[in-house]
Amino acid sequence: MSSSENSQLKISKLLIANRGEIALRIMRSAKEMGIKTVAVFSEADRNALHVRYADEAIFIGPAASNQSYLVGEKIIQACKDTRADAIHPGYGFLSENAGFAQQVADAGLILVGPSPKAMQIMGNKLSAKAAALKYNIPMVPGTEEAITDVAEAKRRAIEVGFPILIKAAAGGGGKGMRIVDGVNDFEEQMQLAVSEATSAFGDGAVFIERYVTSPRHIEIQVLGDEHGNIVHLFERECSVQRRHQKVVEEAPSSVLTPEIREKMGKCAVDVARSVNYTGAGTVEFILDENLDFFFLEMNTRLQVEHPVTELITGIDLVKEQIKIASGEPLSFNQEDLKINGHAVELRVYAEDPNNNFLPDIGTLQTYKTPKGNGVRVDDGFEQGMEIPIYYDPMIAKLITFGKDREEAIQRMIRAIDEYDITGIETTLGFGKFVMQHQAFRSGDFDTHFVGKYFNVESLKNYDETEALIAALVGAKLLKNKNSIEKFDSAVAKTSDWRKNRIKY
């Protein structure tokens, strides 16, 4: 059932088809609206916070997501068993699955999200481009259709001009993506891209774009209702990435002029209008060194980084999603929306930045979150819990807000220092490295930030701390009090890259 079939659809009970921090975040807004909440959980999440927080909880299967969170039939059955009216998919899992969206509609349930048709069109980068071209949205030069013939693809690549980017038409997250600097490497890289896309998405279709050498990743938040109203809520800068996936986000961008912001916002609204979009969505753009922007894709769901938009606009995006799904018109227009202050988000992952950001697992031996003015933590863990191996390794989102960018950054540095996590590696130290780096502070950075600046030299102090930890262990074994006191003094003078792991 879509909300267009009825002008008002009362949602009294909402099932959240997700887990962790996003499930909790959605539940909190729903409860503030007087809506009952239902959690679903796998074997690995029996004791998870979202399960305990919800009004009801339904077990849906083994830990592996393809046997639990990704099984649409189980989600819909859980709705029927609990008599839930609607499903909020969060992000990830089934959130951009057009087939699942259709299943929800066929079951007579409300999906807090766009129509299956809009999801299907925007879920494929080529059909998304075709829809956006109706409104003359700027595009990176390249092909407008999938290419499978290697010889033809090579010819088109030469026409576009190297370096070029081979991209999977389906999916995201950097999978099925290859940068090719010259014609001699093209065939091998295309075959690798097709193979990876087939493996990851079941679809080997790829296309070609000119590679922008110094790109910034800028995205625009949009909201559309069932009454034809669509607005944008300004931009988010998402250029600090590892493996083509975001780690640090902020709003607004430090480089957009009011004129460019207005143009990008209008383009984002037009992209949404091209598919009669309803709900919350994000239109992603690439920005080159000349501040020219080009359409990348549209994400038909709530984004991980939505809190920074909420902080600078004062709009609860989850509540707006639920109202839209209920058939309500937007209660504000574009002229009502203003940027107030600045917000920065760090994704706190259970990853080891010193080892190519490889995921880490273990027990949160210590887990204490920062507090104070302008600090928000969206998380789904508490002290003593295990980080499971089955899902995304994100522990939390740390968000800070200030009257301007400088205050938001300084608050982030303070909050990172206060965040106390032991038992696993995290990206907290990396986050502080970013916040203190001149390129980030000046706003002069792009998506190559990690590759350019985060290297062995940047971890020099980290290595010194490792040596000091070894010295501490030796001192403890010898019960040498003087050595321990010297260690304490030395740690105070070195990087706090691993300060939150030093417990004795």
Side-chain angles (χ1 to χ4, degrees), residues 242-243 247 351-359 427 430 450 454:
R242 70 350 175 199
R243 297 193 299 273
V247 189
E351 293 180 345
D352 185 358
N354 189 46
N355 191 18
N356 197 30
F357 292 90
L358 287 179
T427 51
F430 169 75
V450 171
F454 192 71

Side-chain angles (χ1 to χ4, degrees), residues 446-464:
D446 55 35
T447 57
H448 302 304
F449 179 93
V450 171
K452 284 181 179 177
Y453 304 118
F454 192 71
N455 49 39
V456 174
E457 275 302 305
S458 71
L459 298 179
K460 182 179 180 182
N461 288 335
Y462 159 82
D463 293 332
E464 291 173 355

Side-chain angles (χ1 to χ4, degrees), residues 471-485:
L472 171 66
V473 173
K476 283 177 69 68
L477 290 173
L478 294 172
K479 296 183 179 180
N480 186 329
K481 182 179 178 181
N482 289 335
S483 294
I484 292 175
E485 289 173 350

Side-chain angles (χ1 to χ4, degrees), residues 2 97-103 105 111 114-121:
S2 72
N97 187 308
F100 175 67
Q102 190 60 55
Q103 282 183 285
L111 180 72
S115 68
K117 183 178 180 182
M119 210 177 277
Q120 183 176 23
I121 292 171

Side-chain angles (χ1 to χ4, degrees), residues 253-319:
S253 169
S254 61
V255 296
L256 290 199
T257 64
E259 293 75 22
I260 296 174
R261 178 174 293 118
E262 184 177 355
K263 288 178 183 177
M264 289 185 81
K266 182 182 182 303
C267 284
V269 168
D270 284 343
V271 169
R273 201 174 300 285
S274 74
V275 289
N276 299 314
Y277 195 85
T278 57
T282 296
V283 182
E284 304 203 352
F285 296 93
I286 193 168
L287 188 76
D288 69 14
E289 59 271 23
N290 300 316
L291 299 185
D292 292 323
F293 63 89
F294 309 96
F295 172 71
L296 276 180
E297 60 181 333
M298 184 177 190
N299 295 130
T300 56
R301 55 172 167 80
L302 193 68
Q303 294 279 94
V304 175
E305 58 273 18
H306 75 273
V308 293
T309 296
E310 293 184 322
L311 289 173
I312 67 162
T313 61
I315 302 291
D316 184 318
L317 290 174
V318 171
K319 287 183 180 179

Side-chain angles (χ1 to χ4, degrees), residues 6 19 55 161-162 169 180 183 221 278 317 411 421 433 469 474:
N6 291 288
R19 62 179 298 279
D55 295 299
F162 289 92
V180 186
V183 67
Q221 177 72 58
T278 57
L317 290 174
R411 278 192 174 146
I421 301 177
F433 169 83
I469 291 172

Side-chain angles (χ1 to χ4, degrees), residues 172-204:
K175 295 181 177 67
M177 185 183 296
R178 287 290 185 278
I179 299 168
V180 186
D181 292 317
V183 67
N184 293 336
D185 301 322
F186 183 84
E187 291 186 23
E188 179 185 3
Q189 292 302 314
M190 180 168 172
Q191 289 167 355
L192 287 170
V194 169
S195 175
E196 189 173 318
T198 303
S199 175
F201 314 120
D203 182 353

